[in-house]
Amino acid sequence: MLSVTSFESIQDHVSHVRQVFFSGKQRDLKWRKHQIQRLYDLVAENEERLIEAMYFDMNKPRNEALVGDIAPVLDECLYFLDNLDALAKDQKVKPRSIVNKTAKAIIRKDPLGVVLIIGCWNYPVQLSLLPLVGAIAAGNSVILKLSEVSPYTAAVITDLFPKYMDTSCYRIVNGGVEQTTALLKERFDHIFYTGNGTVGKIIMEAAAKHLTPVTLELGGKSPAIIAHDADMQLSANRIAFGKFFNTGQICVAVDHVFVPEHRVNEFVAAMKITLEKWYGPNPQESESYGRIIADRHVDRIEAVLNNRTSGEIAIGGQIDKSDRYMAPTVVVNVKYDDAALMSDEIFGPILPVISYKEIDEVIGLINKREPALALYVFTNKEKLAEKVLRNTQSGGVSVNDCLVHQAEYSMPFGGVGGSGMGNYHGVKSFDTFTHERSMLVKKQAMEGTNNVRYPPYTSRKLSI
Ligand code: NAD
């Protein structure tokens, strides 16, 4: 089982990896690539153990673990193995200022120093190791705080880590809120946090004490819109994927869906067809359907359903607490200001359906909230999609699909406003963990030319 890091050792871990950072070891690109290769091996050679651990944590179906956790980390490692030399290369710039004409102007891609990465439990491999790849690539020392909410996965990563990685500069800290709080007292050069906005504020406040920059990968109530013209069965399939993959426990999951009022029955019928096809008559017996991570989250999501102030359950609604099972659930006739369903991010398998007449009404409602992490729109009309995108905000967007923009690792991933700040994946991870150090290098020659900028400031000098 997962053993917790002692409070006494936390400070030592941080100061040790900082000391090693200043030894300059991580500056060597070959060395960084070797560490990235070792991280690749850690995941590739232990895929089965990691998949099994995620099954123990949340019954994560094998396919979802492979697609959502294992493959992204392997892919990110390969990306950096192929591209690190080019990314880390000094960038030469042509000086603009007359006094620097003969100097070398260089932007050096310096590591930030010691980075704290705080992972999250819903994708316990991806959300811990994927930012780690970027931090290693950029040459940093790292303290990795794994999520205590997915203890089986955290235990396997903790066991494997010293067998593969150089623990003089990369260290794991395990534990709960107390350990995270103790960590946050230390000074880091960057904090990368994935989780909810309430804790995001705590992280930012702690970081501010040391003027530490943060990346906050948060969540929000991501809407999907089915336009009047959309193919309903296709929309239902893709929205089901966006809602019930990982049992709705995804930061970019569809939180609620807007459906034209005359097409709500059609949507429910289409969703029934999809769910029956995917999970059979009883999703609890399906190997393709996961479970809620912890009892307290089952209680939380159950309360959201029971305390709703509008809507009727059209599909699902069954809960088996002993199995942490919640059926894929669709609630229709939900009011946008429902006190339970529409207050916080649901982060579970309940889909509120809100009916509408005109798209402008939907845009107005979306803009009443903080920008969400994702926004989905289903339509064949490009102009309509463009109208929605131009008049709303969100971290990212998929048109005519769900989740897939997050999984396109060639694009930046991150939130805006209440859904987070900063971004990562591929080149953006490298940028996130890099300081662009401007360096102007001059020769000790032609001192006479500098007279023009030295006092006394005569009128002749000013006229040059
Ligand atoms: P969580 O509560 O487990 O928090 C994650 C980390 O924060 C843990 O390491 C925990 O120890 C620490 N923590 C929790 N409370 C703390 C406190 N009071 N002080 C200091 N540290 C504390 O994670 P969660 O909030 O249950 O995760 C779900 C949320 O994360 C959802 O809102 C979801 O949208 C978001 N999320 C975002 C992304 C993304 O990439 N943007 C990915 C996954 C999840």
Side-chain angles (χ1 to χ4, degrees):
M1 262 327 272
L2 184 62
S3 58
V4 165
T5 308
S6 71
F7 290 113
E8 304 75 55
S9 66
I10 284 179
Q11 208 173 24
D12 289 346
H13 287 313
V14 180
S15 60
H16 184 85
V17 298
R18 186 173 292 284
Q19 210 178 333
V20 174
F21 173 75
F22 283 117
S23 75
K25 175 168 165 174
Q26 291 124 289
R27 296 268 169 172
D28 181 18
L29 294 186
K30 262 198 203 140
W31 189 88
R32 288 186 209 173
K33 282 197 266 183
H34 176 66
Q35 290 301 310
I36 294 170
Q37 180 63 52
R38 293 302 288 153
L39 190 56
Y40 180 97
D41 296 342
L42 182 158
V43 176
E45 289 168 12
N46 300 284
E47 207 171 274
E48 293 309 320
R49 270 186 81 187
L50 290 163
I51 291 171
E52 184 187 58
M54 287 184 272
Y55 185 79
F56 289 152
D57 278 326
M58 58 197 306
N59 283 55
K60 194 176 273 218
R62 181 186 170 73
N63 191 52
E64 293 190 12
L66 277 169
V67 173
D69 278 279
I70 305 291
V73 178
L74 296 180
D75 180 64
E76 189 82 339
C77 288
L78 294 178
Y79 169 80
F80 277 110
L81 289 172
D82 285 346
N83 294 285
L84 183 58
D85 289 323
L87 289 169
K89 218 166 122 186
D90 282 354
Q91 192 185 327
K92 291 197 180 107
V93 185
K94 196 168 167 222
R96 281 207 310 222
S97 165
I98 191 155
V99 291
N100 296 327
K101 279 287 182 224
T102 57
K104 273 192 206 156
I106 295 161
I107 302 171
R108 176 151 292 171
K109 309 296 173 69
D110 254 17
L112 294 173
V114 180
V115 169
L116 170 63
I117 296 173
I118 304 177
C120 199
W121 51 265
N122 58 334
Y123 286 91
V125 174
Q126 182 194 157
L127 299 176
S128 310
L129 302 188
L130 204 124
L132 176 65
V133 185
I136 294 175
N140 298 282
S141 280
V142 182
I143 297 288
L144 177 60
K145 164 68 179 64
L146 299 171
S147 176
E148 70 279 20
V149 184
S150 43
Y152 287 98
T153 313
V156 171
I157 295 175
T158 306
D159 176 49
L160 295 172
F161 207 74
K163 297 175 185 153
Y164 287 83
M165 306 303 294
D166 184 331
T167 53
S168 71
C169 40
Y170 312 126
R171 294 211 168 165
I172 287 180
V173 167
N174 280 309
V177 175
E178 295 79 8
Q179 275 73 15
T180 315
T181 307
L183 266 173
L184 289 172
K185 292 202 174 97
E186 301 300 316
R187 184 176 78 77
F188 293 94
D189 299 293
H190 194 93
I191 300 179
F192 185 102
Y193 167 79
T194 302
N196 68 73
T198 308
V199 177
K201 286 176 191 163
I202 297 173
I203 304 286
M204 208 167 161
E205 215 176 309
K209 295 209 168 80
H210 300 285
L211 284 182
T212 298
V214 293
T215 301
L216 300 177
E217 294 288 341
L218 311 176
K221 284 187 89 62
S222 300
I225 307 166
I226 299 179
H228 286 262
D229 71 293
D231 178 322
M232 191 52 87
Q233 192 58 59
L234 177 144
S235 306
N237 289 346
R238 295 183 187 179
I239 287 173
F241 176 74
K243 184 69 195 184
F244 303 116
F245 195 80
N246 214 35
T247 335
Q249 300 164 108
I250 308 187
C251 53
V252 284
V254 174
D255 184 87
H256 51 280
V257 58
F258 293 97
V259 182
E261 64 179 6
H262 67 283
R263 301 192 72 188
V264 170
N265 291 342
E266 196 190 341
F267 174 72
V268 172
M271 191 54 98
K272 274 186 185 157
I273 292 171
T274 305
L275 295 177
E276 174 96 18
K277 204 163 147 190
W278 290 3
Y279 305 124
N282 181 6
Q284 194 166 5
E285 288 167 5
S286 165
E287 285 185 4
S288 301
Y289 190 69
R291 294 295 181 270
I292 304 302
I293 185 77
D295 294 343
R296 74 180 164 94
H297 282 283
V298 179
D299 293 343
R300 177 185 63 76
I301 305 166
E302 184 187 39
V304 167
L305 191 61
N306 291 344
N307 297 338
R308 70 186 188 278
T309 51
S310 63
E312 302 92 47
I313 294 174
I315 302 176
Q318 301 82 1
I319 296 172
D320 177 352
K321 286 194 178 180
S322 64
D323 189 21
R324 285 190 271 121
Y325 168 77
M326 295 195 79
T329 297
V330 176
V331 186
V332 292
N333 294 327
V334 173
K335 298 269 178 283
Y336 196 68
D337 58 359
D338 187 291
L341 284 169
M342 296 304 295
S343 60
D344 293 319
E345 179 183 1
I346 294 171
F347 219 61
I350 302 174
L351 180 64
V353 179
I354 297 157
S355 60
Y356 75 93
K357 284 194 180 72
E358 301 295 335
I359 202 73
D360 288 330
E361 189 188 323
V362 175
I363 291 171
L365 291 174
I366 287 174
N367 289 336
K368 276 188 172 180
R369 292 180 185 277
E370 283 279 338
L373 189 57
L375 186 147
Y376 304 112
V377 51
F378 289 81
T379 180
N380 281 309
K381 296 182 178 167
E382 269 180 43
K383 277 194 178 153
L384 183 86
E386 193 54 31
K387 176 177 174 161
V388 172
L389 303 190
R390 274 173 187 261
N391 291 292
T392 56
Q393 290 179 293
S394 68
V397 170
S398 291
V399 176
N400 290 320
D401 211 336
C402 295
L403 314 184
V404 291
H405 67 285
Q406 188 276 345
E408 180 41 68
Y409 296 91
S410 59
M411 299 202 291
F413 174 64
V416 60
S419 54
M421 63 181 70
N423 51 40
Y424 74 130
H425 288 177
V427 60
K428 286 293 172 188
S429 284
F430 188 80
D431 293 346
T432 289
F433 295 116
T434 293
H435 168 60
E436 292 197 324
R437 190 179 190 189
S438 293
M439 306 195 311
L440 203 76
V441 183
K442 291 192 169 183
K443 294 238 160 52
Q444 290 194 357
M446 297 199 295
E447 177 61 354
T449 60
N450 286 323
N451 279 336
V452 69
R453 64 184 161 107
Y454 294 158
Y457 304 123
T458 60
S459 53
R460 190 166 165 271
K461 283 182 185 173
L462 285 175
S463 67
I464 291 174

